Amino acid sequence: MIEAFMTFKFLQYALVAALLIGFTAPFIGSFVVVRRMSLIADALSHVTLAGIALSLLISGMVSSLAGLNPLYLGIVTAVIAALLIDWLRSKYRHFQELAIPIMMATGMGLGAIFISMANGFSMDLVSFLFGTVSAVTLTDVYTILIVAVIVIVFVSLFYKELLFLSFDEEQARVSGIRLQLVHVVFMIVVALVIAISMRIVGILLVSSLITLPVAAALRFAKSFKATIFWSIVFGEVATIAGLILAYQFDLAPGGMIVMLAVLELIIVMSAERFVGGKHHGKTTRKSA
Amino acid sequence: MSEPIIEINHLSYDYPDRRVLSDISLAVRQGEFLAIVGENGSGKSTLIKCILGLLKPEGSIRLFGRELDQFDEWWRISYVSQKAASFNSGFPVTVEEVVEMGLYAKKGLFKRLKKGDRTKVRQALETVGMWDRRSSKVGDLSGGQQQRVFIARALVNDPELMILDEPTVGVDQRYVKEFYEILEELRADKKRTFVLVTHDIHFVSRLVTDVVHLIDGKLGCNCGIKEYWELDEKEIRSLYPVPGRVLVHEGERV
Ligand SMILES: Nc1ncnc2c1ncn2[C@@H]1O[C@H](COP(=O)(O)OP(=O)(O)OP(=O)(O)O)[C@@H](O)[C@H]1O
Ligand SMILES: [Mg+2]
């Protein structure tokens, strides 16, 4: 099997893509989760479906665009959706979560229309829904690499601001941080991460790669740095192992990766029972 | 005379359903220690939030000689809010990380914390007696301990103006005393300015130079501490629209 990964270019592409995604998704995910925006990630990924479907439809109709990489239109859709969600949230100050079903419905509705216009599901589309081991191209890898670099640069630059904003918005405002700017850029970055991750994990499962590793890290991490660190460890293990297993057993990588992330979470939660009474005490207090 | 640190002119603020502050004008000069007193709901916290630009009132506010909406030197100010500990207690962040946040305003974008900053964080945490708990998750501390951490965060950037909204709520007597001793030390630097919302003005009367007494969102009195003590209870009571409704100098009961 290792031999296969040594020989086949497409497997190497998939592996590099998985490495990058396993890092960036939980990295930005740490902020997404503490800002209680997990569901927004879910909404964004569903809207991205519309972009992918539209791209596939266009490729099918316009022969000169037959080779258009659906990732591009997916990225554009995700970013537009992120800005729209933000705008909707400001319109429904007291019912901010309404932005999620509104965008999700719009995205899925458009997606359904585009898919039926393109005469139903193609193999290509299915690979975007659940991820793929075999269809990752070199352009995909470059696109993913560029976006990953953007994400890492952004988070390193705005680390202080993002953490402060997430922890204590009022204090962050009083310290003169340009919240609106940081927030909008953050939304765009989240959209980018979602768009690139779907190549490997698939649209329907992207948000779990953003949230599940963080959910596991949150069970025991005391500091924010540790939360990020462990989220990335869990994310990498799940994506790499998931990809290899998916290839081995010829399964959708998205499903494999997410189930491994779930397994990690289960392991962490069961380990709490055995490691130190302290954690145990904390959980009982919470449920009380 | 130098320009006031805080200058408020004809400030009014309405929440959607009601007027909370009306026509407040006051000035705080460098080196002053202003105590804001008044019964629950009289608008003390609202006034503080207006000063900090968290709420947008009518009227004008100037900080360090500049209109509030042009003011951008927030590192000169630190703030402890009344409900500092109302964050999400599951948030994975340590005591040390929280206090570091106090330095962010001064740091500006893109700059990282340096070694000297770590020393400052340590000093601030030692001052409030929380250095030993630096690696604990903030959510795992008691309410009073959390409040001490937030006080450390306000101390760490060595501010020129400290705005404190009942900072010691829930903090036990020993540390309340220590906190006011810290303030006294900070007072030694006569350039520093303080605004403190408090219900026990007696406790801090040694520090206070000026008093603002809010009554239903109006300026009941705005005077020096000496004059304030000279106002007898009857006079203050007469400021209230409904006589006898309030216990003046709440601190005396403690
Ligand atoms: N978010 C809000 N929306 C509507 N009304 C509010 C809001 N916050 C405060 N108020 C009202 O404004 C008035 C002043 O509140 P404020 O918090 O400024 O009082 P305070 O003097 O700080 O009281 P306390 O001593 O209890 O801290 C109160 O009557 C309160 O009901
Ligand atoms: Mg108050």
Side-chain angles (χ1 to χ4, degrees):
Chain A
M1 185 197 63
I2 291 174
E3 211 171 299
F5 277 88
M6 302 286 279
T7 348
F8 298 117
K9 271 267 175 312
F10 76 89
L11 279 182
Q12 290 167 8
Y13 294 156
L15 199 62
V16 174
L19 262 171
L20 289 167
I21 290 163
F23 185 91
T24 38
F27 189 34
I28 200 77
S30 305
F31 292 96
V32 171
V33 170
V34 296
R35 298 193 63 195
R36 298 177 184 275
M37 289 168 59
S38 310
L39 286 172
I40 289 183
D42 219 19
L44 279 180
S45 62
H46 284 73
V47 179
T48 311
L49 174 68
I52 302 283
L54 178 64
S55 182
L56 291 172
L57 177 65
I58 293 173
S59 306
M61 294 198 316
V62 187
S63 54
S64 59
L65 290 176
L68 181 70
N69 189 336
L71 214 49
Y72 300 148
L73 216 49
I75 289 176
V76 173
T77 325
V79 170
I80 293 174
L83 298 175
L84 278 176
I85 285 186
D86 219 41
W87 176 76
L88 278 172
R89 269 158 60 98
S90 71
K91 288 286 149 197
Y92 288 99
R93 288 216 151 274
H94 298 285
F95 300 96
Q96 293 199 335
E97 71 281 3
L98 265 181
I100 294 164
I102 294 175
M103 281 317 287
M104 209 137 159
T106 315
M108 291 302 275
L110 279 174
I113 291 175
F114 294 144
I115 290 167
S116 50
M117 280 170 74
N119 293 321
F121 283 85
S122 64
M123 228 10 239
D124 241 9
L125 187 63
V126 173
S127 88
F128 273 103
L129 286 180
F130 302 112
T132 173
V133 183
S134 57
V136 182
T137 64
L138 190 58
T139 9
D140 288 340
V141 174
Y142 281 132
T143 315
I144 293 172
L145 179 65
I146 290 168
V147 173
V149 169
I150 293 176
V151 172
I152 292 163
V153 168
F154 166 77
V155 176
S156 320
L157 287 183
F158 287 88
Y159 178 82
K160 293 190 271 92
E161 285 74 10
L162 276 174
L163 176 58
F164 207 170
L165 165 65
S166 317
F167 179 65
D168 190 338
E169 187 168 331
E170 190 175 75
Q171 280 283 342
R173 277 164 70 192
V174 170
S175 65
I177 288 172
R178 310 222 0 228
L179 293 192
Q180 201 46 38
L181 176 76
V182 176
H183 176 71
V184 168
V185 182
F186 177 75
M187 289 296 286
I188 293 174
V189 168
V190 173
L192 290 175
V193 171
I194 286 170
I196 59 162
S197 305
M198 69 199 172
R199 204 70 189 103
I200 297 289
V201 265
I203 289 163
L204 297 179
L205 298 166
V206 177
S207 65
S208 19
L209 189 57
I210 288 184
T211 50
L212 285 182
V214 187
L218 272 183
R219 297 303 306 182
F220 59 87
K222 298 237 177 283
S223 72
F224 196 67
K225 290 219 168 79
T227 308
I228 293 183
F229 175 82
W230 286 107
S231 304
I232 292 173
V233 169
F234 291 136
E236 285 291 9
V237 170
T239 31
I240 300 299
L243 186 76
I244 293 171
L245 290 174
Y247 170 73
Q248 189 74 354
F249 299 107
D250 196 19
L251 299 166
M256 216 53 225
I257 290 169
V258 169
M259 286 327 288
L260 283 180
V262 172
L263 186 66
E264 286 170 342
L265 185 59
I266 293 173
I267 292 173
V268 169
M269 291 176 92
S270 352
E272 281 170 19
R273 295 186 158 273
F274 303 105
V275 187
K278 213 169 133 202
H279 282 99
H280 195 67
K282 201 161 55 187
T283 26
T284 39
R285 196 174 350 133
K286 236 173 235 159
S287 58
Chain B
M1 198 155 184
S2 67
E3 223 168 344
I5 301 289
I6 304 174
E7 188 178 5
I8 297 174
N9 278 309
H10 304 295
L11 175 148
S12 298
Y13 187 80
D14 303 302
Y15 280 113
D17 48 335
R18 50 184 303 201
R19 171 144 290 207
V20 177
L21 293 173
S22 52
D23 199 28
I24 308 268
S25 298
L26 59 91
V28 184
R29 296 187 180 280
Q30 193 175 50
E32 283 183 1
F33 193 118
L34 175 72
I36 301 181
V37 297
E39 61 180 303
N40 293 137
S42 56
K44 305 181 296 294
S45 298
T46 307
L47 179 59
I48 296 286
K49 285 183 184 156
C50 290
I51 295 173
L52 290 164
L54 293 168
L55 297 173
K56 302 265 168 282
E58 299 157 37
S60 100
I61 299 176
R62 295 169 73 84
L63 290 178
F64 293 90
R66 288 169 68 184
E67 270 321 310
L68 187 59
D69 47 5
Q70 277 149 38
F71 181 77
D72 56 5
E73 299 167 317
W74 291 102
W75 45 267
R76 301 173 81 167
I77 301 175
S78 70
Y79 165 53
V80 178
S81 66
Q82 184 173 8
K83 281 182 294 180
S86 64
F87 63 97
N88 165 9
S89 66
F91 202 107
V93 65
T94 61
V95 167
E96 205 172 3
E97 282 175 318
V98 170
V99 177
E100 282 171 6
M101 291 178 197
L103 292 165
Y104 289 176
K106 219 166 196 163
K107 281 277 138 189
L109 214 52
F110 310 151
K111 301 241 175 56
R112 296 174 155 275
L113 297 182
K114 299 205 192 67
K115 209 163 169 208
D117 298 324
R118 307 239 173 269
T119 325
K120 282 185 203 160
V121 169
R122 179 178 183 149
Q123 280 168 353
L125 277 172
E126 279 172 347
T127 311
V128 298
M130 292 299 293
W131 175 247
D132 291 344
R133 302 297 303 270
R134 63 186 172 281
S135 307
S136 305
K137 193 159 115 181
V138 172
D140 291 347
L141 302 178
S142 77
Q145 290 173 327
Q146 287 169 3
Q147 193 67 7
R148 276 151 59 188
V149 173
F150 291 111
I151 291 169
R153 179 173 68 185
L155 294 174
V156 73
N157 73 335
D158 197 21
E160 290 168 55
L161 169 62
M162 287 192 88
I163 298 184
L164 310 158
D165 191 352
E166 299 187 44
T168 52
V169 169
V171 176
D172 67 58
Q173 281 305 315
R174 182 159 72 99
Y175 281 101
V176 171
K177 219 168 143 257
E178 273 179 33
F179 175 63
Y180 288 122
E181 279 164 18
I182 297 163
L183 287 192
E184 206 155 353
E185 267 169 49
L186 293 172
R187 278 286 286 153
D189 175 0
K190 290 286 178 220
K191 291 204 187 79
R192 221 185 296 266
T193 312
F194 295 83
V195 174
L196 172 72
V197 174
T198 180
H199 284 289
D200 348 86
I201 187 166
H202 288 257
F203 217 95
V204 284
S205 56
R206 268 187 309 169
L207 300 167
V208 173
T209 60
D210 296 84
V211 181
V212 158
H213 192 128
L214 285 181
I215 297 164
D216 278 340
K218 296 185 198 67
L219 216 48
C221 92
N222 174 16
C223 55
I225 180 83
K226 280 218 190 74
E227 294 166 65
Y228 187 69
W229 291 136
E230 278 158 16
L231 286 176
D232 64 19
E233 195 164 314
K234 218 168 86 201
E235 277 175 282
I236 292 185
R237 205 183 288 272
S238 72
L239 297 169
Y240 282 85
V242 186
R245 197 170 58 126
V246 71
L247 252 173
V248 186
H249 300 179
E250 288 101 319
E252 278 172 350
R253 285 178 295 156
V254 181

